[in-house]
Amino acid sequence: MRSTTSTTTSACRVVFLDAGTLPCGLPFEQHLDASLLVHLAYQAHERTAPAEVAARIAQAEVVVTNKVRLGAELLAQAPQLQRICIAAAGMDNVDLQAARSLGITVHNVPDYGSDSVAEHVMATLLALRRHLAEYSRAAGDGRWSASPHFCWHGPRIQPVGGSTLGIVGRGRIGQATARLAQGLGMRVLFAQRPGREAAGDERPLDDLLAQCDAVSLHVPLTPDTRGLIDARRLALMKPDAVLINTGRGALVDPHALVAALQAQRLAGAAIDVLEVEPPPPDHPLLAPGIPNLLLTPHVAWASEQAQQRLASRLAEQVAQHLRERALRAPASPPGAA
C-alpha cells in the first residue's frame, strides 16, 4: 500500500492523458468548494503518445484516462499515484491486478451513455433496413429526376416493426436497446449467457443468429469474445439480416464481414467501433464500395448529454479523492495561525 502522508498537504496533481476524447471538459467547480479547489493542480493533455505516458504520470496523484493504456511497468513508475479514473465503462486499458497490488484504486463510469448507444443502434438499424444512404444518393445523383414516376424504387425497404432483434449482451446498454426496440414493435431475443440456464427470451448464440433479422453486439472484449462474429457465425445469419456493433471492434472479424457484405450473404452492417482506433487507412472496412455498410467513428456514446454526464462523474471522482485527502491531512498544531 502506498503511503499518502506526504501528499495530503501539497497540491493534488491530477492529469487527464487524453482529454481530447471528451470535448466538454471536467466541471470541477460544480463538485468542489473553494477550500478544496485551491488544492487541485489539474493538467489536461489533448492526447498522450505511448512514449509520453511515464513522464506525465510520474508525479500524478490521480490519472484520468479514456483509452491510454496503463500497464504494470508504467504504474510502477508513478510512486505518487493513488487513483485512476477511466473515462469509459470498459476497464481493459488498465492492468487492474498491478494497480491493486500497488494500492491504486481504479474507477470507471459504467452508465453514462446507455441511452445514447441504444438510440444509435436503433437509428442505424432503421437506416440499414430502409437503405436510407442509397435512397439519399439516388435523390441527388439524378436517378430520382430520371424516374418516370413520382418516386424511385431501389433496394427493398424492410420493416422494423414485427421483425426480430437479437441482442448479444444483457447489460445496461443491451437492456436499453431492448426497451427501444420493443417500443417500435420488435420482438427481442437475448443471447444465452455462458454458464447460466437460458431464460425464456434467450437463445444459444448460434441459434439466435439464425433466427434474427438484426443482431446487436453489447458484450465486453475478453479472450472468449474476441472474434466472436467470424465467418462461420456470419454464415449462420439470414441473408436479409443486418449486424450492428457498438461494443468492441475486435468482436467482429472485419475481413469476414467485408466478404459477407460483398457476396450479399448479409444485407447490411452498422459498425461504430474498430479493433484499432483511429483505424489505419488500409483497414478492410474503409475500402470503397462495400455495399450497405454504415461506418461511424466511435460516436454511439457521444450525445451531448452523455458527454456532460461522463464529465460530471469524472469530476466527482476527483472531488471524492480530494475530500478523502483532506480528511487524512494532519491537524494544525495548537496555537498555529
Side-chain angles (χ1 to χ4, degrees):
M1 179 68 69
R2 297 183 175 195
S3 172
T4 60
T5 55
S6 63
T7 62
T8 53
T9 57
S10 58
C12 178
R13 296 180 180 272
V14 179
V15 59
F16 196 158
L17 295 175
D18 46 358
T21 63
L22 188 56
C24 60
L26 304 188
F28 294 116
E29 66 284 353
Q30 297 177 14
H31 299 272
L32 285 168
D33 60 34
S35 66
L36 290 177
L37 196 57
V38 297
H39 294 287
L40 175 64
Y42 175 63
Q43 188 171 22
H45 299 281
E46 174 76 11
R47 64 182 298 273
T48 297
E52 299 172 319
V53 177
R56 289 183 176 177
I57 71 172
Q59 301 302 317
E61 229 176 282
V62 179
V63 168
V64 184
T65 176
N66 191 322
K67 294 293 183 286
V68 175
R69 303 193 69 82
L70 296 173
E73 184 176 348
L74 284 167
L75 296 178
Q77 297 176 57
Q80 305 300 321
L81 185 57
Q82 298 172 28
R83 180 181 294 234
I84 297 170
C85 302
I86 303 177
M91 303 175 73
D92 49 284
N93 58 321
V94 175
D95 188 324
L96 299 178
Q97 183 176 350
R100 191 179 304 113
S101 68
L102 291 167
I104 302 168
T105 61
V106 181
H107 306 262
N108 64 336
V109 186
D111 190 26
Y112 64 91
S114 299
D115 291 339
S116 180
V117 176
E119 289 172 6
H120 182 95
V121 171
M122 302 314 299
T124 56
L125 173 59
L126 287 162
L128 289 172
R129 296 285 284 177
R130 300 191 66 88
H131 294 272
L132 292 185
E134 183 64 19
Y135 277 100
S136 179
R137 284 192 293 269
D141 65 11
R143 283 178 286 176
W144 187 20
S145 297
S147 172
H149 308 294
F150 72 94
C151 62
W152 178 84
H153 291 295
R156 286 191 308 153
I157 296 174
Q158 299 280 13
V160 168
S163 66
T164 300
L165 173 65
I167 297 178
V168 185
R170 201 161 192 167
R172 294 179 179 89
I173 298 175
Q175 295 281 5
T177 302
R179 289 192 294 271
L180 292 183
Q182 289 163 343
L184 290 174
M186 299 187 77
R187 176 190 181 214
V188 174
L189 297 176
F190 288 93
Q192 182 179 354
R193 288 166 287 187
R196 300 187 186 183
E197 187 174 347
D201 59 353
E202 293 181 346
R203 303 289 185 276
L205 179 57
D206 285 3
D207 293 347
L208 177 137
L209 294 173
Q211 294 176 32
C212 292
D213 302 297
V215 175
S216 188
L217 305 180
H218 301 287
V219 291
L221 181 63
T222 68
D224 292 332
T225 62
R226 183 177 292 275
L228 185 72
I229 305 300
D230 55 11
R232 182 187 73 81
R233 285 196 162 124
L234 286 167
L236 296 174
M237 297 180 67
K238 298 178 181 180
D240 59 355
V242 299
L243 175 70
I244 302 169
N245 185 18
T246 56
R248 288 290 184 265
L251 299 175
V252 178
D253 180 337
H255 297 280
L257 179 58
V258 170
L261 290 169
Q262 289 178 333
Q264 298 185 351
R265 296 193 304 271
L266 191 69
I271 304 296
D272 186 58
V273 287
L274 296 177
E275 68 279 14
V276 177
E277 296 173 341
D282 61 349
H283 191 283
L285 291 177
L286 296 180
I290 301 173
N292 214 22
L293 171 65
L294 183 56
L295 188 64
T296 49
H298 204 145
V299 292
W301 67 276
S303 71
E304 182 178 353
Q305 292 77 8
Q307 288 188 43
Q308 292 172 348
R309 192 177 302 119
L310 174 57
S312 180
R313 293 182 184 175
L314 289 168
E316 172 55 28
Q317 289 177 5
V318 174
Q320 180 61 31
H321 177 78
L322 280 163
R323 288 191 288 266
E324 294 171 359
R325 186 180 192 267
L327 292 174
R328 296 194 300 266
S332 300

